[in-house]
Amino acid sequence: NNINVVSGKCIAKKFLSRNFNNTLFIADPIAFSNIKNYYSEGLIVNPKHIKYINDLTTSEDLKRTFLYIKKNSIESLVGIGGGRTADLLKFISYETGLPCIAIPTSLASHVYASPKIHALSAIKDLGYELTIDGSASDLALLDIDYLDYVFNSNKRLIMAGFGDLMAFWTALKDWKLACDNNKNKFNYFVMEVIKDIFKMFESIDVEIQFSKWVRDYVLIQNLLCHITDWVGSAPASGSEHLFAHTIEKYHQDSMPIHGELVALGVIIFSSLHNLNQKNIIKLLDKFSIPRSLSEIGVAKDSVVNALDDAKKYGQKKSRYTIVEKLNYKKRDWELIINGLMENGLIYN
């Protein structure tokens, strides 16, 4: 896919000020409002065709959208929002064959660049149980100036993506474990790319001007997407993601930020993989990823329950990780969490 990283309001504003009479917008209402306020004059305030993600929560909503597209001779799609918006945008494109353009309004997720489509509840209702191997958006337009504005107004919407990317630390160990048990195939080129990613993590200096380091951040997000396209999700999505996905069902009302849940999973499973936790904590703190359960928005009981659920979820996804090898029970997971709290790695 084509990732266009631009700096300066004029380029993105010029694009968004075009005539979109035959284009359907898929938008997060808050993100869309924010981007309209940021660009102010000249932006199409009310596109002729728009669907908000709040209104795309069931399979019936999606079916009505497909009929709307056909009835109104829609020729293209534009998505404005975060990861959920990007998934819905790509799924509608996948089902209709229409080209789509993503305009990410945060960096909390790399979904804008990924060919994978997460099976959200509405998508599951249409019979898709697992992640779909679809296509990335045809164009992703990232306005560095706007993202800098988001960084200064709500830092978590930018930095949480680092938590998601930290999965490489534990997922790499899970991937090697799977390869050793003939559950996956090792790839030396991918291993070298991941080593480069580790170096980039260390070198990024978030204390300097946003525009000076954000391109490296975006590059890592895109490298992750390429890796999963080349060899599958295993090198970038292991036990920490099994945990993140299973705990989300316990907090559907509050919906914690996915990247922060992944980072919590990295802390938990790095201890079981005997990784250098001191370095992992140093990086998480550098990227302002919270280690407090209350700040992340989860309860200790749900953390333990999610860890207990992770094995079954991993089997459903045919993902071999350390969870499968350890075969822990709920009491074992509770002891692990208590130990991490006692050592100050996570806290209430």
Side-chain angles (χ1 to χ4, degrees):
N1 68 316
N2 187 0
I3 307 296
N4 194 349
V5 182
V6 299
S7 184
K9 290 185 188 180
C10 57
I11 300 174
K13 183 175 179 179
K14 184 176 181 180
F15 171 80
L16 286 169
S17 300
R18 294 169 57 200
N19 186 325
F20 288 105
N21 284 339
N22 297 109
T23 298
L24 174 64
F25 278 66
I26 308 297
D28 179 303
I30 296 175
F32 189 54
S33 176
N34 288 341
I35 210 166
K36 285 193 295 183
N37 291 336
Y38 179 77
Y39 291 124
S40 61
E41 304 139 5
L43 179 65
I44 295 176
V45 178
N46 295 304
K48 184 177 180 182
H49 307 286
I50 187 165
K51 297 282 185 181
Y52 291 109
I53 62 171
N54 306 34
D55 301 319
L56 297 173
T57 59
T58 69
S59 58
E60 292 304 312
D61 295 332
L62 289 173
K63 288 177 183 178
R64 282 192 288 269
T65 300
F66 300 147
L67 290 173
Y68 183 91
I69 287 170
K70 186 175 181 179
K71 180 180 178 181
N72 290 277
S73 302
I74 299 298
E75 298 176 354
S76 61
L77 306 166
V78 171
I80 297 179
R84 185 177 182 83
T85 302
D87 274 321
L88 288 168
L89 171 74
K90 292 187 297 179
F91 180 73
I92 294 170
S93 173
Y94 176 80
E95 287 289 303
T96 61
L98 294 176
C100 66
I101 297 171
I103 303 177
T105 54
S106 75
L107 291 177
S109 166
H110 55 266
V111 177
Y112 66 88
S114 174
K116 307 290 184 182
I117 303 171
H118 297 107
L120 306 176
S121 57
I123 297 173
K124 284 182 178 178
D125 287 344
L126 289 175
Y128 296 94
E129 286 297 319
L130 301 174
T131 300
I132 301 167
D133 289 319
S135 298
S137 51
D138 296 282
L139 171 68
L141 183 61
L142 283 73
D143 184 338
I144 297 302
D145 284 358
Y146 177 74
L147 292 172
D148 188 15
Y149 159 75
V150 175
F151 176 73
N152 288 302
S153 58
N154 191 345
K155 194 174 182 179
R156 289 173 79 174
L157 293 179
I158 298 296
M159 305 306 271
F162 278 114
D164 202 0
L165 295 172
M166 285 292 292
F168 275 116
W169 269 256
T170 44
L172 179 59
K173 297 291 285 187
D174 285 321
W175 181 41
K176 288 181 177 179
L177 186 64
C179 293
D180 290 343
N181 285 273
N182 298 315
K183 305 294 184 180
N184 216 306
K185 291 184 179 180
F186 193 73
N187 184 295
Y188 287 98
F189 175 72
V190 167
M191 182 69 238
E192 291 303 310
V193 173
I194 293 174
K195 287 180 181 178
D196 286 340
I197 289 172
F198 286 159
K199 292 176 184 177
M200 292 171 69
F201 262 99
E202 298 285 351
S203 64
I204 289 175
D205 182 1
V206 294
E207 297 301 321
I208 63 175
Q209 186 179 347
F210 179 81
S211 61
K212 301 292 185 183
W213 57 263
V214 68
R215 284 173 173 80
D216 283 341
Y217 183 14
V218 171
L219 175 58
I220 296 173
Q221 289 188 322
N222 280 267
L223 286 173
L224 183 152
C225 295
H226 284 304
I227 287 170
T228 60
D229 200 25
W230 295 331
V231 298
S233 299
S237 176
S239 48
E240 75 298 317
H241 268 83
L242 297 182
F243 162 75
H245 288 302
T246 52
I247 197 172
E248 284 172 349
K249 71 181 181 182
Y250 292 103
H251 295 277
Q252 291 183 2
D253 293 336
S254 56
M255 287 302 293
I257 299 174
H258 175 74
E260 294 180 354
L261 294 176
V262 171
L264 178 58
V266 170
I267 297 172
I268 295 167
F269 288 103
S270 61
S271 66
L272 298 173
H273 277 300
N274 296 314
L275 292 171
N276 183 344
Q277 286 194 292
K278 184 177 180 181
N279 185 54
I280 288 171
I281 296 300
K282 180 181 177 182
L283 287 171
L284 290 174
D285 289 348
K286 179 171 90 166
F287 299 126
S288 303
I289 308 298
R291 293 187 283 123
S292 160
L293 299 186
S294 59
E295 189 175 351
I296 295 169
V298 296
K300 180 183 172 183
D301 286 348
S302 62
V303 171
V304 173
N305 287 332
L307 290 167
D308 193 47
D309 293 340
K311 181 179 178 180
K312 185 177 179 181
Y313 184 65
Q315 291 171 342
K316 181 178 179 180
K317 291 181 66 68
S318 299
R319 185 68 47 81
Y320 188 91
T321 70
I322 195 170
V323 175
E324 191 79 22
K325 179 182 177 181
L326 294 174
N327 198 28
Y328 279 3
K329 305 301 180 184
K330 187 176 292 188
R331 178 57 181 162
D332 299 310
W333 291 119
E334 187 173 4
L335 290 172
I336 292 292
I337 297 304
N338 289 340
L340 292 172
M341 287 183 161
E342 289 170 6
N343 291 323
L345 299 178
I346 60 175
Y347 44 95
N348 281 316

